């Protein structure tokens, strides 16, 4: 069938190979580029849809196997890169220039671990090579500067022709903007709806974010002004809902989920935090303090994926307080592993939403 070894025959044998998440042909998705033949040596570039692709090795292996079937092939070399897809734009909402995907981390109830998840997922995505920003939309109680080790950072405000612009702070591979940089830490902040609206818009459009694959927005709890402003201002790639296994938290998260659905923001999935307790002196033990299985039940009921379950571990809280997120401080801990897997699952879902 293939008399000559050329780039066409290489693309033909690669055509049946699919991206396992997108369930489409790699060739049709334009993920195979730059095919070169040198004698029996075949090389090409595989352009994944996210640097955080969890199935990278499998896809490379499938490609190699397919190409090796061609007569005359002695060697296959695959160069892997990634181009994160740009989220779809909406007629009434323009995106942030340079920012490919805006994601919200939200919850109906306070204190369930949104900021912990947002910060660790942001750092975990950056660790895979993605360009990541974190927008702390908790205007009343900003925690992200502390959690990202930037409690004492000062950010630069510059006057330009376009008005004032903020330069984000940067640590652990993540750019951060937060109200925490702009207010006196000991002063309570009293905002009215329209002011809050203005601040969130400023954090989106008057920050030098540069090129970002993912801008993660850490939301305040509930379904209030911040959620509305965000979903009305920019097209969003999706929302991640954080919950704990308790019934009340789950009920609240259902409300949150409905709000995003009403605003046509895809809900990428649910993260169950504080799923079980691991005592530091008995790391093999697990206690279901808040009951179990709630996250997976809600996910099934609402027909959204369960992105992962994070245990309750003292080191996770300490990591937040000390500004060294658990994915950096103790990458082999159960929480860090869960958070890294959740980051990959989120990136995978973003690609699915953008490309299908
Ligand atoms: N898996 C976990 N293990 C241990 N401690 C955790 C875990 N998740 C969160 N925490 C701790 O619980 C507290 C609340 O978490 P966090 O600030 O992330 O919640 P939040 O949902 O962002 O809260 P808020 O609604 O106030 O913004 C923090 O002290 C955090 O360190
Ligand atoms: Mg928070």
């Amino acid at each position: 069938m293939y008399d000559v070894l050329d780039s066409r025959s290489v693309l033909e044998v690669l055509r049946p190979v699919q991206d396992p998440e997108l369930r489409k042909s790699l060739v049709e998705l334009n993920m195979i580029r730059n095919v070169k033949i040198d004698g029996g040596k075949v090389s090409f570039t595989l352009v994944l849809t996210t640097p955080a692709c969890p199935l990278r090795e499998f896809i490379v292996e499938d490609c190699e196997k397919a190409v090796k079937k061609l007569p005359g092939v002695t060697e296959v070399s695959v160069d892997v890169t990634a181009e994160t897809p740009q989220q779809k734009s909406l007629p009434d909402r323009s995106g942030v220039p340079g920012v490919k995907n805006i994601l919200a981390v939200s919850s109906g109830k306070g204190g369930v671990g949104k900021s912990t998840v947002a910060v660790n997922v942001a750092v975990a995505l950056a660790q895979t090579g993605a360009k990541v920003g974190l927008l702390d939309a908790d205007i009343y109680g900003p925690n992200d500067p502390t959690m990202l080790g930037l409690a004492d950072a000062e950010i630069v405000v510059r006057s330009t022709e376009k008005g004032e612009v903020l330069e984000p702070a940067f640590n652990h591979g993540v750019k951060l903007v937060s109200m925490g940089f702009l207010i006196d830490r000991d002063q309570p902040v009293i905002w009215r709806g329209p002011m809050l609206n203005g601040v969130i818009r400023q954090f989106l459009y008057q920050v030098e974010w540069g090129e970002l694959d993912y801008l993660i927005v850490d939301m305040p709890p509930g379904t209030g002004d911040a959620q509305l402003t965000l979903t009305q201002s920019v097209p969003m790639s999706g929302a991640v809902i954080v919950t704990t296994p308790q019934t009340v938290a789950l009920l609240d998260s259902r409300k949150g989920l409905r709000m995003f659905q009403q605003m046509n923001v895809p809900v990428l999935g649910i993260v169950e935090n504080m799923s079980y307790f691991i005592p530091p002196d008995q790391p093999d033990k697990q206690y279901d303090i808040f009951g179990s299985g709630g996250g997976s039940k809600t996910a099934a009921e609402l027909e959204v994926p369960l992105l992962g379950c994070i245990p309750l571990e003292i080191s996770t809280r300490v990591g937040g307080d000390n500004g060294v997120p658990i994915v950096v401080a103790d990458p082999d801990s159960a929480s860090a592993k869960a958070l890294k897997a959740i980051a990959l699952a989120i990136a995978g879902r973003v690609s699915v939403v953008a490309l299908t």
Side-chain angles (χ1 to χ4, degrees):
M1 193 159 92
Y2 305 108
D3 312 330
V4 270
L5 180 57
D6 59 10
S7 55
R8 242 187 60 209
S9 56
V10 171
L11 286 175
E12 273 322 299
V13 284
L14 281 171
R15 195 171 288 277
V17 182
Q18 292 197 338
D19 180 297
E21 249 165 342
L22 302 169
R23 303 206 185 145
K24 279 192 184 164
S25 158
L26 299 180
V27 173
E28 273 156 39
L29 286 164
N30 192 26
M31 286 165 68
I32 307 288
R33 300 192 206 157
N34 212 7
V35 181
K36 291 205 183 100
I37 321 273
D38 180 6
K41 273 202 243 167
V42 176
S43 66
F44 55 89
T45 307
L46 168 66
V47 187
L48 297 170
T49 60
T50 169
C53 181
L55 303 164
R56 186 187 192 111
E57 269 75 46
F58 293 103
I59 303 177
V60 170
E61 207 178 293
D62 283 354
C63 288
E64 284 172 350
K65 264 194 217 149
V67 177
K68 277 184 185 151
K69 281 189 200 142
L70 275 174
V73 173
T74 53
E75 201 183 314
V76 183
S77 112
V78 187
D79 180 26
V80 187
T81 62
E83 269 172 26
T84 311
Q86 169 84 44
Q87 71 184 79
K88 290 176 187 135
S89 59
L90 294 170
D92 59 336
R93 280 167 260 179
S94 58
V96 178
V99 177
K100 288 182 171 167
N101 296 283
I102 304 174
L103 311 172
V105 177
S106 193
S107 74
K109 201 174 133 104
V112 296
K114 287 176 298 300
S115 300
T116 304
V117 170
V119 166
N120 279 284
V121 163
V123 174
L125 287 172
Q127 285 172 338
T128 68
K131 297 191 191 86
V132 187
L134 180 62
L135 190 165
D136 185 355
D138 198 338
I139 307 295
Y140 300 95
N143 293 132
D144 293 349
T146 301
M147 288 187 168
L148 202 60
L150 289 165
D152 298 322
E154 279 175 25
I155 58 169
V156 182
V157 183
R158 285 194 295 116
S159 293
T160 68
E161 293 154 13
K162 293 181 286 173
E164 282 190 337
V165 290
L166 308 179
E167 269 177 36
F170 182 80
N171 202 16
H172 301 301
V174 174
K175 290 180 182 172
L176 172 68
V177 162
S178 168
M179 203 62 215
F181 297 135
L182 304 174
I183 49 164
D184 184 338
R185 236 177 288 164
D186 307 323
Q187 291 297 316
V189 193
I190 303 156
W191 299 95
R192 291 189 309 277
M195 290 164 72
L196 188 132
N197 186 317
V199 171
I200 291 188
R201 292 184 64 83
Q202 185 176 17
F203 281 0
L204 287 166
Y205 297 109
Q206 279 163 262
V207 171
E208 289 185 325
W209 288 114
E211 299 284 318
L212 293 183
D213 293 312
Y214 307 102
L215 176 61
I216 300 194
V217 186
D218 179 15
M219 301 303 288
T223 50
D225 288 325
Q227 281 75 3
L228 256 161
T229 298
L230 185 71
T231 49
Q232 287 174 345
S233 304
V234 280
M236 307 214 19
S237 296
V240 173
I241 312 277
V242 182
T243 185
T244 59
Q246 294 134 293
T247 333
V248 252
L250 286 171
L251 270 177
D252 289 319
S253 64
R254 268 190 209 134
K255 257 187 248 164
L257 193 131
R258 296 247 158 75
M259 185 209 71
F260 283 111
Q261 285 171 338
Q262 274 167 14
M263 302 300 292
N264 287 326
V265 175
V267 174
L268 302 174
I270 290 182
V271 170
E272 187 183 278
N273 189 26
M274 312 189 190
S275 291
Y276 50 92
F277 174 63
I278 302 181
D281 49 347
Q282 292 168 296
D284 303 328
K285 282 241 163 86
Q286 246 178 250
Y287 294 97
D288 291 341
I289 295 185
F290 301 120
S292 69
S296 56
K297 221 175 111 204
T298 313
E301 246 178 74
L302 298 164
E303 296 176 347
V304 294
L306 179 68
L307 298 164
C309 297
I310 308 159
L312 187 63
E313 273 190 293
I314 292 175
S315 50
T316 304
R317 202 258 312 144
V318 172
D321 290 348
N322 293 347
V324 188
I326 189 79
V327 295
V328 175
D330 190 1
D332 293 324
S333 63
S335 304
K337 282 185 187 154
L339 283 157
K340 285 190 280 185
I342 288 165
L344 301 190
I346 292 172
R349 293 275 300 143
V350 169
S351 301
V352 171
V353 169
L355 296 170
T356 54

